[in-house]
Structures are given as structure tokens and as C-alpha cells.
Amino acid sequence: MEGLEQGLLMQPWAWLQLAENSLLAKASISKQGYALLISDLQQVWHEQADTLVVSQRAKVSQHLIRPLMGMSLALQCHGKELATLLRKKDLEIQAYQESGAVLSRSRLKTEPFEENSFLEQFMVEKLPEACTVGDGRPFAMNLQSVYVAVTRQQIQAGQKRRGSGETQTSCSTSPQRTDSQLLNQPEQPASSTPALSEPEQEPTGASGPTQRPQLAKSKRKKPRGLFS
């Protein structure tokens, strides 16, 4: 905080002209925080805050600013989906008309949907009324379901990010087998047992299988002497 005060002391004064009166102001902003000094020559208003205080104040955004941004994106996506559905309906009606179908009640006939024309007409006719915030009651009464859905989705997304961070940390500490380790492993030797082939069958003739001739074993003769 001493650095903020020194930075504020070195800043020159600036003159601000407001609707009712004029003010003298000076400010210093750094990585440590900010310091602000304002005076109307009668009173002095001083404020300083470090990064912790600024981050705590910025959490007002979790309840209003970030949900409103999410609601705006959700409603925009909702409008895009409705426009796509209307174009499909127009193609379906065109197919019915080409097959000979006729609308029985003429008051229900509509023109094909043109998104650009619709947006231009909405900006001119509906936007001023839609932007009338008033006392905030339309937001509290009509958009609560969207607000709850968006905030629930943001909470779930934050939990998934924290969970994925813990998972990556645990996976990085566990031993893993790299590709180089797999490549350096010795190959398993192939089996030395030869493959057994099926016995060949002898061709058969009309009278049945041919018998293989049996070779007669020759008897070994005894040697005969002169006197035998």
C-alpha cells in the first residue's frame, strides 16, 4: 500500500468539469491495486484498494454481470434456433402446396420468413419497448427461469474445470509408458513348434480306397561256415 501512496503522490492533478460543479482528481493504478483522490476544494474523498479487495468486489459480477452475459448469448442462440425452425416450416408448407394442398382458412396464411427483414423490423418497432428496464420488475418476473438455468450451467462448468485440473495433475504424477519405451521392448520370439498340417487323404477309386502295398521284411541270413 505504501507503493500505491507514493504513486498517487507523484501523479499530477486533473480538472474535471461536471454538470453541477468542478472537481480536482488524481489516480494511480498499478499491479498492486489502485489509489484515488478527489476534491471539490471543500472536501476530499480518498480511496485505495489492493488486488485482493478489487477481486472481492469483482465477484458482484458472478451474480449479475456474468449471468446477464450468459442470458444474452442463450437468448441469441434461442432466436437462431427458432429462425431455423421457421425456415424448415416454410419448406414443409411449400411441399404441401406443390402437392396440391389448399389452406382452408385464408386468415392463417403467412408470408415466408425472412430473418434479415424480421430483425430490421424488430429493431425499429420492438427494441425500444424491450429495452425499457423500469424498476427491474420485468427482469425479476419474466426471466428467472433463464437466469437460474444460466447460473447452474456456469457452476457446473466451473466444477468441471476444477475436476479436469485435478485429473491432469494426478495423471501427470502417475507412471506412464511412452512410445519410445514400447519401441525399445524386445520382440517376443516366435513359437518353435511347427504347425501341424492335416493328413493327406489318398484318392479313392470306384472300388474304394486304394490300399498301400506292404513291403515284406527280408530275413537276415546267418553266415555259413565251411563245416556247417
Side-chain angles (χ1 to χ4, degrees):
M1 303 301 290
E2 182 179 357
L4 290 176
E5 287 296 332
Q6 292 178 355
L8 181 62
L9 181 62
M10 297 176 61
Q11 292 295 323
W13 286 95
W15 182 72
L16 301 178
Q17 178 64 47
L18 302 180
E20 299 178 357
N21 51 10
S22 59
L23 299 175
L24 294 177
K26 60 189 312 186
S28 175
I29 302 175
S30 66
K31 294 181 179 180
Q32 300 175 350
Y34 74 90
L36 181 66
L37 189 62
I38 299 176
S39 175
D40 60 354
L41 300 181
Q42 295 181 0
Q43 296 179 351
V44 177
W45 183 65
H46 174 261
E47 183 184 58
Q48 65 180 9
D50 56 10
T51 54
L52 180 60
V53 175
V54 174
S55 62
Q56 290 178 349
R57 291 180 179 179
K59 290 182 178 180
V60 177
S61 64
Q62 295 181 357
H63 295 273
L64 188 62
I65 299 177
R66 294 183 63 86
L68 286 177
M69 294 174 62
M71 292 169 64
S72 299
L73 295 175
L75 292 176
Q76 182 184 14
C77 182
H78 183 262
K80 291 290 185 181
E81 292 293 331
L82 289 178
T84 302
L85 182 61
L86 286 175
R87 285 192 292 267
K88 291 182 179 179
K89 289 294 184 181
D90 287 340
L91 294 176
E92 183 180 357
I93 294 174
Q94 182 180 356
Y96 289 151
Q97 293 175 348
E98 292 176 353
S99 63
V102 179
L103 186 64
S104 60
R105 288 174 287 183
S106 58
R107 63 183 178 85
L108 298 178
K109 185 178 180 180
T110 57
E111 296 296 330
F113 177 73
E114 292 290 341
E115 185 175 1
N116 294 332
S117 301
F118 171 78
L119 290 176
E120 292 177 359
Q121 184 179 3
F122 177 82
M123 294 295 183
V124 175
E125 298 180 0
K126 301 296 182 180
L127 188 61
E129 180 182 357
C131 292
T132 304
V133 179
D135 56 357
R137 185 176 181 182
F139 170 75
M141 299 296 294
N142 302 331
L143 296 176
Q144 286 304 298
S145 59
V146 183
Y147 177 86
V148 172
V150 170
T151 52
R152 183 183 293 113
Q153 180 64 29
Q154 291 178 351
I155 293 174
Q156 293 175 355
Q159 292 174 350
K160 288 182 180 179
R161 286 194 298 268
R162 289 191 294 268
S164 61
E166 294 175 357
T167 303
Q168 292 177 0
T169 304
S170 61
C171 290
S172 61
T173 57
S174 62
Q176 294 183 354
R177 303 178 67 184
T178 61
D179 294 340
S180 59
Q181 292 175 342
L182 294 176
L183 293 175
N184 293 332
Q185 287 185 350
E187 296 183 356
Q188 296 294 334
S191 177
S192 59
T193 305
L196 299 178
S197 59
E198 296 183 358
E200 297 181 355
Q201 296 183 356
E202 296 293 334
T204 57
S207 60
T210 304
Q211 299 292 333
R212 291 185 177 181
Q214 296 181 357
L215 300 178
K217 296 182 180 180
S218 60
K219 295 182 179 181
R220 187 177 181 182
K221 296 180 180 182
K222 294 182 180 180
R224 296 179 66 184
L226 295 176
F227 303 97
S228 60

